[in-house]
Amino acid sequence: MNDDVKQSGTTVMVVDDAPSNRYAMGAVLRRAGHHVVPVASAGEALSELDVRLRAGALPDVALVDVGLPDMSGFELCRRVKSTPSTAALPVVHFSATAVDAKDRCRGLDAGADAFLPVPAEPREIQAVVHAAVRRARRRTAAEALAHRLTLLSQAIITVQTARCLGELADAAAAGAARLTGTPAVVFVIGPDGEAHHGTSRSRLALSDAGPHQAAARLITRIADRRAGVHSTVVPAPLWPTGLFRPGVQDDARLVLASAQEGRAQVCIATPASAAPSRGAGSCATSQDGPADDRRPFAAFPAERLAQATALAAEPLLMYQAERDIALTLQHSFLPQPHRLPHLPGVDLVVRYVPASRQTEIGGDFYAALPTRDGVLTAVGDVVGHSLEAATVMVEIRHALRAYCVEESDPRALAERLDRMLLHYHPEVTATVCLTLLDPGTGRARIANAGHIPPVIVREGGRAEYVRVCGPLLGLALDRPEPVELVLHREDRLLMVTDGLIETRGVDLTTSMEQLRTAAAGAPPGLDALCDTLLGCFGHDREDDIAMLALRLG
């Protein structure tokens, strides 16, 4: 198809104060198949452009006479080009008198796209109009492509910074909506069939989860786990009603992508009526592989976004699997409150709260063990957040259980744990606080290895930290003697991990003072103490929380 055929039907505004000139120029353009809008002055031209701008129908090109009565054609061009909404309109100056190089340069300096001396041959007029429109369309296409690429890159960056699969699906849906200008729903389906979905803000929220579940089942049936991207159109009778617009049946264009590992299947769903068409019929599938894709990179940005989302989903799925394993380890090896051993003479309450869903699992632990010299309690934390931290936590806790069969002194136990860690995990460090309590006398011996010291909450609302310190486990450093004190029956001893109070950007000493103040104001009782502190500090934490509170029974 040649340019003459493609540009037939374009709208040309002819601005000339001479009616005969407007008629002659218009006749030439109409014979070439153009629609002509004749105007007699610069003011009339600006008014016409304003009306057409509000209607969304600007002309394709403006032919402007240089010698207009109300303002020069140069000034009119300058005003058109300085207004953002009309700056892309091609302007061609023409004149029968101002035809020398100085006048042509003046027109080009004002922003004109061409200068046409008249009288001119009809073919020359048509050629100049065609050239101006062609350049403008190519410029507009290039700007649109750059805009789409910018939106695509922004969407991919947001997708790559998602911290969990839910955030990933929401980010991809928002990016797809901006790219297509339509509502979008994104599904991320793991290898076990678990589906996470995200929706764009342009789509009204659904109170019923049924449509999402039905769509996820349909996607799972038609998904191809092979690496790559492909698309399909699902007719409205098969696609859940109301998924894009409440109460409305829409055909759905699905863009499906899998990464090379094939663990994650990503589907970007948009209304098919507004999606780019490939000429495929309903439910017809076309493969979009890199080898035979000869289209421009951003011709179908939804495919690129789906591929980037699938790649970003792979490590999140691996992390989720690792986190589930670590959490299972902790739940398996940390006794639940109803499974704590019977400790005569001591009342004991424990709490364990995993980190918020988008953060890694840590190595926090607690222990309460009967020994020949009394009750041994411990709260500790393996430095780091990973499956390894959780497994080392299990080893430390089991080693402590084994050592306290023969040895109950807190300092000696800390030394043994330090040597064990150095021998088996020389690159790992850990903190622990150990308390040996004689229930008969209330005498307590406390050793600390880099941990937050215990808090003693006295009767009457006084709370203070036990002044006990020592180096971390795993450093092979000498350990000070334990601190000795006596607990009275109304005293409560509180041991916590730093996940309860540690906040990014806040000094730990400030957080510790806030903890002490909150503990002093807590109601009587061990459960009330723990619940009060979790209510004050335990929301959306980035680290696990282990807490142990005791008093003489």
Side-chain angles (χ1 to χ4, degrees):
M1 182 182 294
N2 59 43
D3 290 334
D4 288 347
V5 176
K6 285 191 289 185
Q7 292 191 5
S8 64
T10 56
T11 299
V12 183
M13 175 184 285
V14 178
V15 189
D16 196 327
D17 60 321
S20 59
N21 291 344
R22 292 198 303 272
Y23 176 80
M25 187 72 75
V28 171
L29 295 170
R30 289 188 185 94
R31 281 197 299 270
H34 301 296
H35 175 66
V36 177
V37 180
V39 293
S41 67
E44 186 180 341
L46 292 173
S47 298
E48 180 70 20
L49 288 176
D50 185 57
V51 170
R52 288 178 168 270
L53 183 64
R54 288 197 298 269
L58 281 176
D60 296 288
V61 64
L63 293 182
V64 180
D65 181 25
V66 169
L68 297 174
D70 49 349
M71 74 174 69
S72 71
F74 302 132
E75 179 60 26
L76 174 59
C77 178
R78 191 173 289 110
R79 290 197 183 187
V80 169
K81 294 295 185 178
S82 63
T83 303
S85 55
T86 58
L89 175 66
V91 175
V92 177
H93 281 137
F94 67 90
S95 177
T97 57
V99 294
D100 60 18
K102 179 182 177 182
D103 296 314
R104 293 196 299 271
C105 290
R106 187 180 175 189
L108 294 173
D109 288 342
D113 295 81
F115 198 103
L116 178 67
V118 294
E121 291 290 330
R123 291 182 61 186
E124 184 180 2
I125 296 173
Q126 295 170 14
V128 170
V129 169
H130 289 168
V133 172
R134 183 170 57 247
R135 284 195 298 270
R137 288 180 177 176
R138 287 178 178 173
R139 182 169 59 246
T140 301
E143 291 171 352
L145 176 61
H147 180 63
R148 285 156 68 90
L149 283 172
T150 300
L151 291 178
L152 177 62
S153 63
Q154 291 172 345
I156 290 176
I157 290 172
T158 306
V159 159
Q160 290 174 339
T161 56
R163 298 175 298 172
C164 62
L165 293 172
E167 280 189 13
L168 179 70
D170 283 334
R178 287 193 295 270
L179 285 167
T180 63
T182 67
V185 183
V186 171
F187 294 86
V188 180
I189 302 174
D192 57 355
E194 181 183 4
H196 302 262
H197 74 270
T199 59
S200 63
R201 291 184 179 180
S202 60
R203 201 217 68 170
L204 296 176
L206 291 176
S207 57
D208 183 12
H212 293 116
Q213 296 170 354
R217 289 193 295 269
L218 176 63
I219 292 166
T220 302
R221 288 199 299 270
I222 66 176
D224 187 347
R225 289 285 176 179
R226 293 176 298 172
V229 183
H230 65 282
S231 64
T232 185
V233 176
V234 177
L238 300 180
W239 188 250
T241 299
L243 199 60
F244 300 125
R245 296 174 294 173
V248 178
Q249 276 196 328
D250 288 292
D251 293 344
R253 179 176 185 263
L254 309 185
V255 179
L256 301 110
S258 291
Q260 290 184 354
E261 290 79 4
R263 290 173 54 85
Q265 180 74 47
V266 169
C267 174
I268 296 179
T270 54
S273 57
S277 174
R278 287 190 171 147
S282 296
C283 284
T285 303
S286 60
Q287 204 65 31
D288 182 21
D292 59 356
D293 190 355
R294 299 180 179 87
R295 295 163 301 186
F297 175 78
F300 293 96
E303 281 86 338
R304 312 300 174 185
L305 179 59
Q307 198 166 35
T309 305
L311 290 171
E314 291 291 327
L316 291 177
L317 281 167
M318 293 178 64
Y319 155 71
Q320 180 174 290
E322 181 176 296
R323 189 182 191 279
D324 290 343
I325 293 172
L327 198 57
T328 301
L329 276 175
Q330 291 195 331
H331 284 173
S332 299
F333 291 99
L334 292 180
Q336 300 303 306
H338 64 278
R339 295 173 54 194
L340 287 170
H342 177 61
L343 302 172
V346 173
D347 292 336
L348 183 72
V349 169
V350 295
R351 296 285 192 273
Y352 177 78
V353 181
S356 54
R357 185 70 178 173
Q358 64 269 22
T359 55
E360 292 186 276
I361 206 75
D364 295 38
F365 67 95
Y366 58 80
L369 305 166
T371 73
R372 62 189 180 188
D373 298 314
V375 173
L376 179 73
T377 59
V379 169
D381 183 10
V382 177
V383 177
H385 300 84
S386 63
L387 179 59
E388 181 186 18
T391 56
V392 172
M393 174 275 292
V394 173
E395 291 186 46
I396 291 177
R397 191 172 178 281
H398 276 288
L400 180 63
R401 288 168 60 89
Y403 294 151
C404 74
V405 172
E406 299 294 335
E407 176 63 71
S408 59
D409 180 67
R411 178 188 177 186
L413 290 171
E415 289 174 342
R416 290 192 179 188
L417 292 175
D418 183 64
R419 290 195 297 271
M420 184 276 291
L421 204 58
L422 279 168
H423 183 78
Y424 291 107
H425 302 282
E427 74 288 352
V428 176
T429 57
T431 68
V432 68
C433 185
L434 300 162
T435 299
L436 178 65
L437 175 65
D438 181 355
T441 64
R443 177 173 173 266
R445 288 169 53 82
I446 303 174
N448 195 353
H451 203 78
I452 294 177
V455 179
I456 297 180
V457 184
R458 307 285 188 184
E459 187 179 22
R462 292 183 300 112
E464 59 188 10
Y465 284 99
V466 178
R467 297 182 178 275
V468 57
C469 60
L472 279 73
L473 300 179
L475 299 181
L477 298 176
D478 290 337
R479 306 206 162 271
E481 287 292 329
V483 169
E484 295 193 11
L485 53 85
V486 175
L487 286 182
H488 303 289
R489 288 203 178 274
E490 57 274 8
D491 295 340
R492 291 171 288 176
L493 181 71
L494 174 71
M495 304 167 70
V496 301
T497 56
D498 58 8
L500 177 67
I501 58 173
E502 194 172 44
T503 303
R504 190 174 301 175
V506 178
D507 188 76
L508 184 60
T509 56
T510 301
S511 299
M512 288 176 62
E513 177 59 24
Q514 293 172 347
L515 172 65
R516 188 196 66 78
T517 303
L526 300 179
D527 284 298
L529 175 62
C530 293
D531 293 340
T532 297
L533 297 179
L534 286 176
C536 292
F537 304 101
H539 303 288
D540 296 324
R541 306 305 299 181
E542 296 184 359
D543 199 356
D544 301 345
I545 299 171
M547 181 184 301
L548 184 150
L550 64 84
R551 68 181 176 190
L552 297 175

